[in-house]
């Protein structure tokens, strides 16, 4: 029995309790199987949804344009880390409660009992709800919206990029780092040729124009790729590397950060 599986059960419980925006007979039956905790947990989740919307409205965050890199600001990075660090104790409680639930109800869950699954779903909502509520309180203390927290998470703790399928050609832009590197190699190859004393004036002028053109083009591509922003972000992340490493936890983000944003339940564990 996997504790992530238990936590994942909470994702679908809303569908058992709410149909067409209201409670139905199935919902009442499911609630009874959860010892009367299902409806209460669902109501609490709706309260948290309202809190998320309230914080997003109170502390509006303007994300960068599509394709652009988010530039980190040190004050906001420190606020982000403070909110994250303050929530880690609540996440530790979530882990311990989950393990305790598995120890107590693992055999019943392994049997495939529908009642056991529903009880686990209710417990999942309750346990994750407490940790999510703690995160929202800590975000409010830092005057930060869930939207900003999510976007900062993507920069501070980026997810691994999947390798392309074999046989599928890569589609690159001119501003991709590999293309810029090739242009820089071409630029570097020009200087030795200009030092040749046998070089004719016409050819020298042509090479100097070529070098100037390459320098200008590379600068334009670097600006388009956000290299200046990425370099500044890298320096800031390095400065706070110790705090960032200490607060790193992919499961924390899967269970608490992603669900705060629209479509954020993707990637959560499934039974």
């Amino acid at each position: 029995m996997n504790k992530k599986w238990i936590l994942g059960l909470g994702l679908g419980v809303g569908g058992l309790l709410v149909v067409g925006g209201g409670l139905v007979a199935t919902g009442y039956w499911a609630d009874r199987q959860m010892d009367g905790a299902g409806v209460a947990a669902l109501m609490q989740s709706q309260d948290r949804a309202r809190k998320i919307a309230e914080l997003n409205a109170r502390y509006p965050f303007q994300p960068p344009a599509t394709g652009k890199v988010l530039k980190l600001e040190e004050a906001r990075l420190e606020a982000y880390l403070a909110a994250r660090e303050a929530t880690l104790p609540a996440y530790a409680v979530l882990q311990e409660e989950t393990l305790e639930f598995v120890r107590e109800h693992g055999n019943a869950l392994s049997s495939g009992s529908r009642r056991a699954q529903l009880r686990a779903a209710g417990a999942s909502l309750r346990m994750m709800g407490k940790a999510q509520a703690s995160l929202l309180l800590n975000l409010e203390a830092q005057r930060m919206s869930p939207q900003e927290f999510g976007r900062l998470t993507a920069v501070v703790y980026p997810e691994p990029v999947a390798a392309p399928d074999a046989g599928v050609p890569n589609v690159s832009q001119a501003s991709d780092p590999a293309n810029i590197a090739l242009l820089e190699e071409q630029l570097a190859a020009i200087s030795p040729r200009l030092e040749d004393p046998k070089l004719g004036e016409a050819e020298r002028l042509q090479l100097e124009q070529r070098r100037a053109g390459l320098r200008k083009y590379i600068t334009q591509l670097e600006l388009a790729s956000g290299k200046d922003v990425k370099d500044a972000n890298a320096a800031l992340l390095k400065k706070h590397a110790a705090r960032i490493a200490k607060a790193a936890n992919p499961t924390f983000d899967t269970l608490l950060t992603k669900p705060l944003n629209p479509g954020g339940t993707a990637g959560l564990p499934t039974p």
Side-chain angles (χ1 to χ4, degrees), residues 98-121:
T98 303
L99 291 172
E100 180 60 32
F101 188 92
V102 172
R103 284 192 290 265
E104 185 175 349
H105 303 285
N107 291 336
L109 283 164
S110 297
S111 71
S113 165
R114 184 62 168 166
R115 176 180 172 83
Q117 290 180 358
L118 284 167
R119 291 185 68 183

Side-chain angles (χ1 to χ4, degrees), residues 132-144:
Q132 288 171 353
S134 175
L135 175 56
L136 291 175
L137 285 175
N138 292 324
L139 288 178
E140 186 170 22
Q142 297 299 328
R143 303 177 65 85
M144 178 174 288

Side-chain angles (χ1 to χ4, degrees), residues 49-176:
R50 285 191 288 269
K51 185 66 174 180
I52 290 170
E54 175 191 332
L55 289 176
N56 282 332
R58 192 189 310 168
Y59 307 115
F61 170 73
Q62 182 61 50
T66 302
K68 297 296 182 180
V69 181
L70 173 65
K71 181 176 174 55
L72 293 177
E73 297 177 5
E74 188 163 22
R76 299 313 291 161
L77 175 60
E78 290 177 340
Y80 165 83
L81 291 172
R84 190 179 182 96
E85 291 162 348
T87 309
L88 287 175
Y91 175 72
V93 171
L94 168 62
Q95 288 184 303
E96 182 56 38
E97 287 184 341
T98 303
L99 291 172
E100 180 60 32
F101 188 92
V102 172
R103 284 192 290 265
E104 185 175 349
H105 303 285
N107 291 336
L109 283 164
S110 297
S111 71
S113 165
R114 184 62 168 166
R115 176 180 172 83
Q117 290 180 358
L118 284 167
R119 291 185 68 183
S124 173
L125 280 176
R126 175 183 55 78
M127 292 184 293
M128 285 197 295
K130 289 194 300 181
Q132 288 171 353
S134 175
L135 175 56
L136 291 175
L137 285 175
N138 292 324
L139 288 178
E140 186 170 22
Q142 297 299 328
R143 303 177 65 85
M144 178 174 288
S145 68
Q147 184 184 21
E148 182 181 7
F149 188 83
R151 292 302 294 263
L152 286 171
T153 297
V155 176
V156 180
Y157 300 104
E159 294 185 355
V161 179
D165 293 336
V168 178
N170 288 327
V171 178
S172 64
Q173 297 180 338
S175 59
D176 285 350

